[in-house]
Amino acid sequence: MSGANSVKEDRLWQRHADMAKLGGTAKGGVNRQALSAEDAAARNLLCSWAKARGFAIFTDAIGNLFVQRAGSDAKAAPVVSGSHMDSQPTGGRFDGMYGVLAAFEALEALEDAGIRTKRPVMAVAWTNEEGSRFQPGAMGSAVFAGIYKLDDMLAVKDWKGVVLKEALADTLKAAPAPLRDGAPGFAVDSYVEAHIEQGPRLENEKKTIGVVTGIQGSRRYIVEVDGEEAHAGTTPRAARKDAYAAATRIAAAMYEATTDADDTLRFTIGRVEISPGSPNTVPGKALFTIDMRHPRNDVLDSHEQKLKDIVAAQAAPCPATITRLTNVAPTDFDPAVIDLVRAKTNELRLSNMDMPSGAGHDAMHIAKLCPAGMIFVPCERGISHNEAENAAPGDLAAGARVLVEVLEALANR
Ligand code: GLV
Ligand code: MN
Ligand code: MN
């Protein structure tokens, strides 16, 4: 039996259904934000499956969770595959979870087929990929890759002021796993991440597998505007320092400045906060977040300058600042891994196309450490970051079949 033939579509689908109960929402999605009780429950479930198969588990100081199937050469660096189990507040059941469960399915398929590999093969669930509760996202993989400092990340607070270090301690208490000593990070031979596409291209082109060539660059910012609280009924326009009015002027100018002719630049204001949030007080403070993405760094640079100029020009009479929180350069995946994914997909006679990723993934950080690549499968109407997110069991299994063949080949190099 080959690894691919040992992938069980029903088992993989059932695992998605079991995970979807943890943080499940009335609309069929999940709210399983990073380092929440629901995240801990997902970790426990994954660990219980791993233990049942006799796989080793361990975690690290940022809470990344690893499941290891031993290789014949105990000293050889592992081949790693995975993604994330945390979700958006109104997330779907496949974003991230598919990559973790496909990797786990690959480990099980290797086990069921009795395939010995030279290198260990690991499944990983990276901590806080989504970055909706704690910013920045793709945090666990970035700490693992040495891109963000562990101590800086432990000090991050969520929107309610909860410190990440405390939330992580609570999570690891509720979902204990042996701690690997030292700072996060160890030698990895290669990394392959499976994920739903989160866009419509595979479905539109009727292809089963996306051979992912790279990930576009992304930056996050926060704009903070200071005004002056005043009575809504009595304060004349000239006397107002309305922080929200300034924020909306800034935002409107930014939408216009980021509307490109070829619709490649992605600009999103996803969170707005107004203080004190009283209907009859002129807002004294306003803030909003910006997520901006493009495949080219120079385009991101020039638009960043435009955003700064807009804040300077539109804020008066309210002082305002724009702060860049993250800057992840575009990623090119390793040509040999891309070729291997394409070759294994063709061997399995699955339709496929090369494509870049619009979404960010943990693979963009791990690609700094070792040869890396990704495998995409279609999702219904390209809908993601939405409770309605859906994917076909057959497509999920097809991606897992490609994954196990790729991992086996890498683990026997
Ligand atoms: C990940 O969810 C991203 O924002 O690209
Ligand atoms: Mn994801
Ligand atoms: Mn996501």
Side-chain angles (χ1 to χ4, degrees), residues 85-163:
M85 302 200 292
D86 66 312
S87 81
Q88 292 285 316
T90 52
R93 36 172 83 187
F94 302 97
D95 176 3
M97 186 55 81
Y98 171 57
V100 175
L101 295 182
F104 190 73
E105 180 65 34
L107 262 60
E108 294 202 283
L110 290 171
E111 192 72 8
D112 291 343
I115 294 169
R116 286 281 273 172
T117 58
K118 182 181 107 185
R119 300 178 180 283
V121 182
M122 279 186 194
V124 59
W126 303 109
T127 295
N128 183 31
E129 192 275 347
E130 292 291 4
S132 50
R133 178 182 178 195
F134 293 105
Q135 298 194 79
M139 183 186 279
S141 52
V143 170
F144 186 90
I147 293 160
Y148 303 149
K149 287 204 189 84
L150 174 65
D151 285 346
D152 292 349
M153 295 303 111
L154 293 176
V156 164
K157 290 184 184 155
D158 74 2
W159 299 102
K160 291 184 183 146
V162 177
V163 180

